[in-house]
Amino acid sequence: MTMGMIYGVGVGPGDPGLLTVRATEVLAAADVVVAPSARGDGVSLALDIARPYLRADCEIVTSELPMTEARGTLRAAWACTARSLAREALVGRVVVFVTLGDPMLYSTWSYIAAALREEAPQVPVETLPGITSVSACAASAGIPLAQGREPLLIWPEAPNDYMGHWLEAIPNVVFMKAAAHLDRLADLASGSESDALAMRRIGQAAADHTSDLRSWAGSHDYFTTVLVKRRAAKKGGEE
Amino acid sequence: MTMGMIYGVGVGPGDPGLLTVRATEVLAAADVVVAPSARGDGVSLALDIARPYLRADCEIVTSELPMTEARGTLRAAWACTARSLAREALVGRVVVFVTLGDPMLYSTWSYIAAALREEAPQVPVETLPGITSVSACAASAGIPLAQGREPLLIWPEAPNDYMGHWLEAIPNVVFMKAAAHLDRLADLASGSESDALAMRRIGQAAADHTSDLRSWAGSHDYFTTVLVKRRAAKKGGEE
């Protein structure tokens, strides 16, 4: 029997037009698509983005991943998903795991890919990169993430006490999943001669952005990204 | 006369299959494509990547951008390119500026977009995000850029003296254009309990990677990226 193949495919932040050509080819060849469903209700934004490219006879499986930080529970879930992907590939099928944004940046796929190396090292696995929400936000707002020799920091949690100091050396910081920290980020920006722009649901129908971070405090939208750019350093770097 | 449109399109790191569906649609609609040519010899990697999607009657212009850090010279060149893009759009044409990777991350497009706001604010401009070389490198190597709550730093020049210290708080650092610093990065990795992987020409025919950074010292390939991941912090974050 011919060996199948497992792909981890980044479907980008929301707009099906932001999939890569290669991703659409792999989705069109898929016998099975596995999509993570955080709430276990079968709803998967990644699946909705991929759906226009699937064949009518493609089997769709939503995989519930537990909303916990308990490492043992998570590891068991990743190994379980890896084994079910491998089972399909071992009978010759093309299996695609879809994930939002890019598969190697804050994605469950990176854990599943590691579990596959343990559970089924004989199965060929390929990862296809995707458009990050960070790139999509910057394009949508018309604001560069970083220019010239400026570094860029991507920070997926609350700002720490050193952040104002770091901004002197790192003039561009992207805060992901930032909805709970909007007041602190507004303070950080005003205290460090920086501009801040908050964006949410970029690439989705209800996309939105504001430079008045405090006006969104309390909204708690999961896909909220804040770009903080230091004004002085930017000017300094440009002259 | 109908107003045209200007697009800044990220064509990704090298493989035409890594363009987005939306980018291919915009390229197919282009009346004029403008491609940066660093050496002024008409050779443009971004153009080569975009070419399969262009109409046969699409006009192709290569735009020489001066290899200098003198701001006045650069500003004049960006303004000149912006004016020539605007002239085409003002007579109703669809004009596409193509750029490697993502247009908002270390790309000339971010300067040209700013010049367009000055020179021709009445012309509609849209930026389409692209796959970064960073995402393509990570996918190709099967190594996550960042997981969970780990931050990620992108650093486009030589490591500074604080970098070993920063790695304690920022366990993932991507060094771009790293060919000249491979020995120093090897020292940094071994001195900070980190793993390092060097990659070059990812997404191109001659793609290559190594964990023996010193073996590439002296090769000076412009598209060399090094990913440094702290081992201890990674494990600490995972348990």
PDB file of all heavy atoms in Angstrom, chain B residues 215-234:
ATOM      1  N   SER B 215      30.647  26.383   9.913  1.00  0.00           N
ATOM      2  CA  SER B 215      30.981  25.817   8.596  1.00  0.00           C
ATOM      3  C   SER B 215      30.551  26.756   7.457  1.00  0.00           C
ATOM      4  O   SER B 215      31.021  26.627   6.333  1.00  0.00           O
ATOM      5  CB  SER B 215      30.311  24.447   8.425  1.00  0.00           C
ATOM      6  OG  SER B 215      28.904  24.594   8.313  1.00  0.00           O
ATOM      7  N   TRP B 216      29.654  27.705   7.755  1.00  0.00           N
ATOM      8  CA  TRP B 216      29.224  28.656   6.732  1.00  0.00           C
ATOM      9  C   TRP B 216      29.932  30.002   6.841  1.00  0.00           C
ATOM     10  O   TRP B 216      29.717  30.875   5.988  1.00  0.00           O
ATOM     11  CB  TRP B 216      27.717  28.908   6.809  1.00  0.00           C
ATOM     12  CG  TRP B 216      26.879  27.819   6.218  1.00  0.00           C
ATOM     13  CD1 TRP B 216      27.315  26.630   5.724  1.00  0.00           C
ATOM     14  CD2 TRP B 216      25.460  27.833   6.076  1.00  0.00           C
ATOM     15  NE1 TRP B 216      26.245  25.895   5.277  1.00  0.00           N
ATOM     16  CE2 TRP B 216      25.100  26.599   5.484  1.00  0.00           C
ATOM     17  CE3 TRP B 216      24.454  28.736   6.390  1.00  0.00           C
ATOM     18  CZ2 TRP B 216      23.776  26.271   5.203  1.00  0.00           C
ATOM     19  CZ3 TRP B 216      23.145  28.416   6.119  1.00  0.00           C
ATOM     20  CH2 TRP B 216      22.803  27.189   5.520  1.00  0.00           C
ATOM     21  N   ALA B 217      30.728  30.184   7.889  1.00  0.00           N
ATOM     22  CA  ALA B 217      31.396  31.484   8.045  1.00  0.00           C
ATOM     23  C   ALA B 217      32.237  31.749   6.802  1.00  0.00           C
ATOM     24  O   ALA B 217      32.964  30.869   6.325  1.00  0.00           O
ATOM     25  CB  ALA B 217      32.257  31.489   9.307  1.00  0.00           C
ATOM     26  N   GLY B 218      32.120  32.938   6.249  1.00  0.00           N
ATOM     27  CA  GLY B 218      32.851  33.248   5.035  1.00  0.00           C
ATOM     28  C   GLY B 218      32.048  33.070   3.764  1.00  0.00           C
ATOM     29  O   GLY B 218      32.471  33.487   2.693  1.00  0.00           O
ATOM     30  N   SER B 219      30.840  32.472   3.871  1.00  0.00           N
ATOM     31  CA  SER B 219      30.067  32.252   2.642  1.00  0.00           C
ATOM     32  C   SER B 219      29.314  33.517   2.218  1.00  0.00           C
ATOM     33  O   SER B 219      29.090  33.749   1.038  1.00  0.00           O
ATOM     34  CB  SER B 219      29.089  31.101   2.831  1.00  0.00           C
ATOM     35  OG  SER B 219      28.032  31.495   3.675  1.00  0.00           O
ATOM     36  N   HIS B 220      28.897  34.338   3.206  1.00  0.00           N
ATOM     37  CA  HIS B 220      28.286  35.656   2.941  1.00  0.00           C
ATOM     38  C   HIS B 220      27.108  35.619   1.981  1.00  0.00           C
ATOM     39  O   HIS B 220      27.010  36.424   1.069  1.00  0.00           O
ATOM     40  CB  HIS B 220      29.349  36.648   2.431  1.00  0.00           C
ATOM     41  CG  HIS B 220      30.342  36.963   3.507  1.00  0.00           C
ATOM     42  ND1 HIS B 220      30.023  37.768   4.581  1.00  0.00           N
ATOM     43  CD2 HIS B 220      31.607  36.540   3.708  1.00  0.00           C
ATOM     44  CE1 HIS B 220      31.068  37.843   5.384  1.00  0.00           C
ATOM     45  NE2 HIS B 220      32.037  37.103   4.891  1.00  0.00           N
ATOM     46  N   ASP B 221      26.217  34.649   2.195  1.00  0.00           N
ATOM     47  CA  ASP B 221      24.988  34.621   1.411  1.00  0.00           C
ATOM     48  C   ASP B 221      24.001  35.606   2.027  1.00  0.00           C
ATOM     49  O   ASP B 221      23.663  35.516   3.198  1.00  0.00           O
ATOM     50  CB  ASP B 221      24.419  33.195   1.426  1.00  0.00           C
ATOM     51  CG  ASP B 221      23.303  33.022   0.430  1.00  0.00           C
ATOM     52  OD1 ASP B 221      22.253  33.665   0.600  1.00  0.00           O
ATOM     53  OD2 ASP B 221      23.493  32.267  -0.535  1.00  0.00           O
ATOM     54  N   TYR B 222      23.500  36.556   1.213  1.00  0.00           N
ATOM     55  CA  TYR B 222      22.665  37.647   1.737  1.00  0.00           C
ATOM     56  C   TYR B 222      21.448  37.119   2.486  1.00  0.00           C
ATOM     57  O   TYR B 222      21.055  37.646   3.519  1.00  0.00           O
ATOM     58  CB  TYR B 222      22.214  38.551   0.576  1.00  0.00           C
ATOM     59  CG  TYR B 222      21.423  39.758   1.011  1.00  0.00           C
ATOM     60  CD1 TYR B 222      22.053  40.863   1.589  1.00  0.00           C
ATOM     61  CD2 TYR B 222      20.038  39.799   0.858  1.00  0.00           C
ATOM     62  CE1 TYR B 222      21.319  41.969   1.987  1.00  0.00           C
ATOM     63  CE2 TYR B 222      19.309  40.905   1.257  1.00  0.00           C
ATOM     64  CZ  TYR B 222      19.950  41.990   1.819  1.00  0.00           C
ATOM     65  OH  TYR B 222      19.221  43.077   2.214  1.00  0.00           O
ATOM     66  N   PHE B 223      20.814  36.040   1.971  1.00  0.00           N
ATOM     67  CA  PHE B 223      19.584  35.545   2.570  1.00  0.00           C
ATOM     68  C   PHE B 223      19.862  34.465   3.618  1.00  0.00           C
ATOM     69  O   PHE B 223      19.307  33.374   3.554  1.00  0.00           O
ATOM     70  CB  PHE B 223      18.638  35.001   1.504  1.00  0.00           C
ATOM     71  CG  PHE B 223      18.135  36.063   0.577  1.00  0.00           C
ATOM     72  CD1 PHE B 223      18.620  36.180  -0.707  1.00  0.00           C
ATOM     73  CD2 PHE B 223      17.178  36.968   1.013  1.00  0.00           C
ATOM     74  CE1 PHE B 223      18.141  37.165  -1.561  1.00  0.00           C
ATOM     75  CE2 PHE B 223      16.701  37.958   0.170  1.00  0.00           C
ATOM     76  CZ  PHE B 223      17.191  38.061  -1.120  1.00  0.00           C
ATOM     77  N   THR B 224      20.769  34.749   4.563  1.00  0.00           N
ATOM     78  CA  THR B 224      21.062  33.795   5.623  1.00  0.00           C
ATOM     79  C   THR B 224      20.316  34.202   6.891  1.00  0.00           C
ATOM     80  O   THR B 224      20.410  35.343   7.333  1.00  0.00           O
ATOM     81  CB  THR B 224      22.575  33.731   5.894  1.00  0.00           C
ATOM     82  OG1 THR B 224      23.246  33.348   4.698  1.00  0.00           O
ATOM     83  CG2 THR B 224      22.891  32.733   6.996  1.00  0.00           C
ATOM     84  N   THR B 225      19.564  33.262   7.439  1.00  0.00           N
ATOM     85  CA  THR B 225      18.781  33.496   8.649  1.00  0.00           C
ATOM     86  C   THR B 225      19.240  32.499   9.702  1.00  0.00           C
ATOM     87  O   THR B 225      19.474  31.341   9.388  1.00  0.00           O
ATOM     88  CB  THR B 225      17.279  33.287   8.347  1.00  0.00           C
ATOM     89  OG1 THR B 225      16.872  34.252   7.377  1.00  0.00           O
ATOM     90  CG2 THR B 225      16.440  33.447   9.595  1.00  0.00           C
ATOM     91  N   VAL B 226      19.394  32.954  10.950  1.00  0.00           N
ATOM     92  CA  VAL B 226      19.782  32.053  12.040  1.00  0.00           C
ATOM     93  C   VAL B 226      18.722  32.129  13.134  1.00  0.00           C
ATOM     94  O   VAL B 226      18.369  33.219  13.600  1.00  0.00           O
ATOM     95  CB  VAL B 226      21.166  32.420  12.607  1.00  0.00           C
ATOM     96  CG1 VAL B 226      21.488  31.550  13.835  1.00  0.00           C
ATOM     97  CG2 VAL B 226      22.253  32.247  11.544  1.00  0.00           C
ATOM     98  N   LEU B 227      18.212  30.974  13.513  1.00  0.00           N
ATOM     99  CA  LEU B 227      17.247  30.878  14.605  1.00  0.00           C
ATOM    100  C   LEU B 227      17.979  30.362  15.840  1.00  0.00           C
ATOM    101  O   LEU B 227      18.577  29.284  15.801  1.00  0.00           O
ATOM    102  CB  LEU B 227      16.115  29.930  14.196  1.00  0.00           C
ATOM    103  CG  LEU B 227      15.035  29.598  15.216  1.00  0.00           C
ATOM    104  CD1 LEU B 227      14.359  30.860  15.749  1.00  0.00           C
ATOM    105  CD2 LEU B 227      13.987  28.680  14.585  1.00  0.00           C
ATOM    106  N   VAL B 228      17.968  31.162  16.923  1.00  0.00           N
ATOM    107  CA  VAL B 228      18.586  30.762  18.187  1.00  0.00           C
ATOM    108  C   VAL B 228      17.470  30.526  19.197  1.00  0.00           C
ATOM    109  O   VAL B 228      16.643  31.415  19.447  1.00  0.00           O
ATOM    110  CB  VAL B 228      19.567  31.837  18.704  1.00  0.00           C
ATOM    111  CG1 VAL B 228      20.136  31.438  20.065  1.00  0.00           C
ATOM    112  CG2 VAL B 228      20.706  32.048  17.702  1.00  0.00           C
ATOM    113  N   LYS B 229      17.414  29.312  19.758  1.00  0.00           N
ATOM    114  CA  LYS B 229      16.367  28.945  20.724  1.00  0.00           C
ATOM    115  C   LYS B 229      17.012  28.476  22.015  1.00  0.00           C
ATOM    116  O   LYS B 229      17.812  27.552  21.999  1.00  0.00           O
ATOM    117  CB  LYS B 229      15.504  27.799  20.189  1.00  0.00           C
ATOM    118  CG  LYS B 229      14.606  28.171  19.033  1.00  0.00           C
ATOM    119  CD  LYS B 229      13.766  27.001  18.591  1.00  0.00           C
ATOM    120  CE  LYS B 229      12.530  26.838  19.433  1.00  0.00           C
ATOM    121  NZ  LYS B 229      11.470  27.818  19.144  1.00  0.00           N
ATOM    122  N   ARG B 230      16.639  29.097  23.121  1.00  0.00           N
ATOM    123  CA  ARG B 230      17.237  28.727  24.396  1.00  0.00           C
ATOM    124  C   ARG B 230      16.652  27.386  24.871  1.00  0.00           C
ATOM    125  O   ARG B 230      15.445  27.231  24.967  1.00  0.00           O
ATOM    126  CB  ARG B 230      17.001  29.801  25.446  1.00  0.00           C
ATOM    127  CG  ARG B 230      18.016  29.755  26.569  1.00  0.00           C
ATOM    128  CD  ARG B 230      18.116  31.082  27.260  1.00  0.00           C
ATOM    129  NE  ARG B 230      16.945  31.323  28.072  1.00  0.00           N
ATOM    130  CZ  ARG B 230      16.819  30.898  29.325  1.00  0.00           C
ATOM    131  NH1 ARG B 230      17.795  30.261  29.923  1.00  0.00           N
ATOM    132  NH2 ARG B 230      15.724  31.139  29.986  1.00  0.00           N
ATOM    133  N   ARG B 231      17.557  26.426  25.134  1.00  0.00           N
ATOM    134  CA  ARG B 231      17.104  25.097  25.554  1.00  0.00           C
ATOM    135  C   ARG B 231      16.440  25.135  26.922  1.00  0.00           C
ATOM    136  O   ARG B 231      15.338  24.657  27.106  1.00  0.00           O
ATOM    137  CB  ARG B 231      18.285  24.128  25.616  1.00  0.00           C
ATOM    138  CG  ARG B 231      18.698  23.561  24.275  1.00  0.00           C
ATOM    139  CD  ARG B 231      19.685  22.425  24.465  1.00  0.00           C
ATOM    140  NE  ARG B 231      20.926  22.892  25.085  1.00  0.00           N
ATOM    141  CZ  ARG B 231      21.959  23.358  24.411  1.00  0.00           C
ATOM    142  NH1 ARG B 231      21.934  23.418  23.091  1.00  0.00           N
ATOM    143  NH2 ARG B 231      23.037  23.753  25.040  1.00  0.00           N
ATOM    144  N   ALA B 232      17.109  25.714  27.906  1.00  0.00           N
ATOM    145  CA  ALA B 232      16.633  25.678  29.287  1.00  0.00           C
ATOM    146  C   ALA B 232      15.282  26.378  29.404  1.00  0.00           C
ATOM    147  O   ALA B 232      14.337  25.842  29.983  1.00  0.00           O
ATOM    148  CB  ALA B 232      17.652  26.341  30.209  1.00  0.00           C
ATOM    149  N   ALA B 233      15.184  27.562  28.835  1.00  0.00           N
ATOM    150  CA  ALA B 233      13.937  28.327  28.947  1.00  0.00           C
ATOM    151  C   ALA B 233      12.812  27.584  28.261  1.00  0.00           C
ATOM    152  O   ALA B 233      11.679  27.586  28.717  1.00  0.00           O
ATOM    153  CB  ALA B 233      14.104  29.703  28.324  1.00  0.00           C
ATOM    154  N   LYS B 234      13.162  26.914  27.150  1.00  0.00           N
ATOM    155  CA  LYS B 234      12.132  26.192  26.421  1.00  0.00           C
ATOM    156  C   LYS B 234      11.562  25.090  27.300  1.00  0.00           C
ATOM    157  O   LYS B 234      10.360  24.969  27.463  1.00  0.00           O
ATOM    158  CB  LYS B 234      12.729  25.604  25.141  1.00  0.00           C
ATOM    159  CG  LYS B 234      11.768  25.530  23.990  1.00  0.00           C
ATOM    160  CD  LYS B 234      12.433  25.000  22.736  1.00  0.00           C
ATOM    161  CE  LYS B 234      12.697  23.521  22.809  1.00  0.00           C
ATOM    162  NZ  LYS B 234      13.388  23.021  21.610  1.00  0.00           N
TER     163      LYS B 234
END
